[in-house]
Amino acid sequence: MSRWRMWFWNRVAPWVLPVAVLVIWQALGSAGVISRRILPTPLGVVDAALMLARQGVLWTYIATSAARAFSGFFIGATVGFTLGTLNGISKKASRLLDTPIQMIRTIPHLALVPLVIVWFGIGEQAKVFLVALGTAIPMYMNTYFGIQSLDPGLLEMARVYRFSRLKMFGRVILPGALPSVLSGVRYSLGVMWVTLIVAETISANSGIGYMVMNAQEFMQMNIVVLGVVLYALLGKLSDVIARVLETRLLRWHPIGMQAV
Amino acid sequence: MAVGNKGVSVRLVGVQKVYGQRVVLDDLDLRIGKGEFIAIVGHSGTGKSTLLRLLAGLEQPTRGDVLIDDSPVTGLTPTARVMFQDARLLPWLSVFDNVAVVLPKPDKLQVEQALDRVGLLEHRHRWPAQLSGGQRQRVALARALVVRPPLLLLDEPLGALDALTRLEMQSLIESLWREERFTAVLVTHDVSEAVRLADRVICIADGRISLDLEVPLPRPRERSSSFLRLESKVLATILGRGSADDNEAHRVGSRGAAPMEA
């Protein structure tokens, strides 16, 4: 294959369909085939973004939503990781804690929205709590699983060589569980956005969700679609962060090595 | 940590090891002199690896005593280092760090010397996944020898290697043993490996020693007629036949051998 063709298939081809869809969508909108009351045109969405950016509210909304998402994630991931590590290392702890955690896991955490609103009102805590709850579970599962599926041969080797507890954890258990922990991070980041979107849509007085709900009341469909686009971009951003973490931290991994 | 150049003496007195209903080792007595190289051969499941694990202190005998330099072993044997069938390197550490990690205080020179002795100094910055099976076992050997242990326990360390690499590794182990004079106990399926490396070849059958054979050949050993005679004697014992003139394969139990015996 010639270089030009290689370049086309590697770099251009994945964008052909999305761009085509945008162009057709814009054309149909401009021609009046699709009513703007139902679906705004792509340029209309860009207009909305520029307008809100000029007013400065766009950045405030994004910052508010991101702050909620990441503080919830930070709390949830820390709790999930700590419990997963504890149960992975200590048999007694897992006997005590694993069953109740597994029971909580089966509850869809979004089902708790009405309860959470009663507990925390519609303030920040409610959203942070829901995100933390939602992200803690996959972090716990993956950390626990990662430690449980460590190679027993390596643990025995570390025993023969008399690794201290600290060395055992830092050099054997933690790095061994890391691939699984990182897939937990990636999964949790996904849960984080879904939870936040639901929580903000139900009740908020700032943030992207608030912006969307507000726009819906006034039938500003271009702002509604802008909200959806923003969530997609933020979701993509957190996926990129997870990917970077994986290639950075798993350089030793046969799969990671090919990526470098 | 007891560290030194000289090997230790090992003594097993009336050792019995029972797993559930199964008697794996029964009333076993064995003496290994300082700096001696012992090979233990036998079918899978005869308790060869169990014996090694008792010497390492990874298991405790049901009855009897394991004495290292005349003091009984309780818990892990501090003077022993073990090389397993698989290298058991930490995949997330470089070759250098895999050796350095077993030292209480990492010493660059000491680690590099150990890697140099196994001929892997130039690969010190690689990941284990980038090495061949033989190279990985050499890192494991460097890791085992970096503290110059008085007792080296080898649990079929060459079983998974191809024939040529295995020969290279045998020479390497022999030359390191001759330089450092540690006591070595090798568990193997490969009778000719046992005869090539060991001062004494010991066969275990039904939990007891069925043969304890001196190998009085000069080193490095060639496959001379006396070599072959000793080899067939060991084979005959393992196969449970009086006649030594059997043209059976020289490697016993290599098919379907379990990687780790009970």
Side-chain angles (χ1 to χ4, degrees):
Chain A
M1 230 191 300
S2 73
R3 272 182 63 193
W4 187 88
R5 275 186 164 189
M6 284 257 282
W7 173 81
F8 175 82
W9 283 109
N10 285 336
R11 297 277 163 196
V12 183
W15 295 101
V16 168
L17 281 178
V19 170
V21 167
L22 280 179
V23 169
I24 294 168
W25 176 8
Q26 179 67 42
L28 291 177
S30 303
V33 180
I34 304 173
S35 158
R36 289 188 191 188
R37 298 235 152 247
I38 293 166
L39 192 65
T41 62
L43 286 177
V45 176
V46 173
D47 269 347
L50 290 176
M51 180 192 75
L52 290 172
R54 243 179 277 123
Q55 289 171 5
V57 284
L58 185 66
W59 310 119
T60 324
Y61 289 158
I62 291 176
T64 311
S65 287
R68 280 173 191 154
F70 284 103
S71 52
F73 170 77
F74 183 75
I75 295 168
T78 309
V79 170
F81 176 79
T82 310
L83 284 174
T85 307
L86 187 69
N87 287 1
I89 292 175
S90 156
K91 257 228 164 69
K92 282 181 189 155
S94 81
R95 283 259 179 274
L96 197 65
L97 296 171
D98 189 48
T99 304
I101 295 174
Q102 297 292 345
M103 284 161 77
I104 294 171
R105 183 177 76 96
T106 57
I107 307 169
H109 63 288
L110 294 174
L112 298 180
V113 168
L115 200 58
V116 168
I117 290 176
V118 173
W119 286 348
F120 298 104
I122 58 162
E124 293 305 291
Q125 290 133 312
K127 294 165 201 71
V128 173
F129 176 82
L130 274 175
V131 173
L133 189 65
T135 53
I137 298 296
M139 276 304 285
Y140 166 78
M141 297 292 292
N142 280 279
T143 310
Y144 187 32
F145 173 78
I147 293 177
Q148 275 189 320
S149 50
L150 283 171
D151 178 358
L154 291 182
L155 296 174
E156 189 180 65
M157 182 280 296
R159 205 152 73 83
V160 170
Y161 283 96
R162 281 170 198 75
F163 281 24
S164 63
R165 274 165 178 269
L166 191 68
K167 200 181 249 188
M168 186 73 129
F169 183 72
R171 294 302 193 109
V172 185
I173 294 173
L174 191 59
L178 200 58
S180 182
V181 171
L182 286 176
S183 39
V185 167
R186 184 186 278 214
Y187 192 85
S188 287
L189 287 171
V191 174
M192 171 182 91
W193 287 117
V194 172
T195 312
L196 187 76
I197 292 165
V198 172
E200 282 191 340
T201 309
I202 289 168
S203 65
N205 46 25
S206 65
I208 302 171
Y210 168 77
M211 178 185 89
V212 170
M213 291 315 287
N214 222 13
Q216 184 213 19
E217 299 231 332
F218 299 106
M219 284 304 275
Q220 294 168 307
M221 291 312 281
N222 50 356
I223 295 181
V224 173
V225 174
L226 174 66
V228 176
V229 171
L230 283 178
Y231 281 134
L233 288 177
L234 289 169
K236 179 71 190 165
L237 178 71
S238 46
D239 203 51
V240 168
I241 294 171
R243 237 175 241 273
V244 168
L245 275 179
E246 278 174 19
T247 42
R248 275 287 175 109
L249 295 173
L250 301 181
R251 272 175 305 151
W252 53 271
H253 207 276
I255 296 164
M257 244 177 254
Q258 286 158 10
V260 172
Chain B
M1 195 182 310
V3 175
N5 259 340
K6 285 256 168 63
V8 288
S9 68
V10 177
R11 203 145 61 97
L12 281 85
V13 187
V15 164
Q16 189 192 46
K17 182 69 187 176
V18 181
Y19 288 106
Q21 297 285 306
R22 224 176 113 234
V23 181
V24 180
L25 296 174
D26 198 11
D27 199 24
L28 198 96
D29 291 301
L30 179 64
R31 274 169 185 278
I32 304 170
K34 283 182 197 292
E36 210 175 1
F37 200 130
I38 296 283
I40 301 171
V41 291
H43 285 291
S44 298
T46 47
K48 305 188 304 283
S49 292
T50 305
L51 180 58
L52 207 76
R53 293 173 68 80
L54 289 174
L55 293 178
L58 282 167
E59 313 259 355
Q60 307 305 320
T62 312
R63 250 198 352 240
D65 284 309
V66 177
L67 303 160
I68 306 279
D69 269 348
D70 297 320
S71 52
V73 169
T74 50
L76 290 164
T77 311
T79 47
R81 286 293 176 271
V82 188
M83 228 181 125
F84 302 95
Q85 183 170 28
D86 43 341
R88 301 196 183 176
L89 303 179
L90 296 170
W92 40 87
L93 295 185
S94 68
V95 166
F96 180 94
D97 287 333
N98 259 291
V99 178
V101 76
V102 304
L103 296 173
K105 270 190 199 145
D107 179 340
K108 190 163 180 270
L109 194 68
Q110 208 178 341
V111 174
E112 286 181 351
Q113 273 171 357
L115 285 172
D116 195 30
R117 272 181 291 167
V118 299
L120 278 182
L121 189 56
E122 80 247 49
H123 292 320
R124 63 187 178 279
H125 299 307
R126 294 207 171 187
W127 303 110
Q130 295 170 307
L131 302 179
S132 69
Q135 288 173 325
R136 279 202 280 269
Q137 278 300 37
R138 281 196 271 164
V139 178
L141 187 59
R143 179 177 66 187
L145 294 178
V146 69
V147 291
R148 304 191 179 251
L151 177 59
L152 182 63
L153 305 172
L154 303 143
D155 190 4
E156 294 182 46
L158 312 182
L161 303 179
D162 65 88
L164 282 174
T165 313
R166 198 182 310 146
L167 288 176
E168 273 173 30
M169 283 294 288
Q170 286 169 2
S171 312
L172 179 65
I173 290 171
E174 185 178 39
S175 67
L176 288 171
W177 170 75
R178 290 177 76 179
E179 277 168 36
E180 309 207 356
R181 285 287 155 191
F182 46 81
T183 306
V185 181
L186 167 72
V187 163
T188 181
H189 280 122
D190 186 338
V191 173
S192 75
E193 178 173 291
V195 175
R196 186 167 170 210
L197 291 177
D199 296 321
R200 267 161 67 207
V201 176
I202 287 165
C203 295
I204 296 188
D206 300 326
R208 289 163 190 276
I209 292 174
S210 57
L211 178 75
D212 187 340
L213 182 71
E214 294 251 357
V215 185
L217 302 176
R219 293 172 188 269
R221 290 169 180 163
E222 315 247 306
R223 292 177 66 83
S224 61
S225 57
S226 35
F227 184 106
L228 293 175
R229 242 194 326 275
L230 289 165
E231 198 181 88
S232 20
K233 198 168 175 185
V234 176
L235 266 175
T237 311
I238 294 171
L239 297 172
R241 299 204 187 107
S243 155
D245 304 340
D246 229 289
N247 286 330
E248 286 262 354
H250 284 304
R251 300 195 62 233
V252 171
S254 58
R255 268 158 295 158
M260 176 79 73
E261 292 162 23

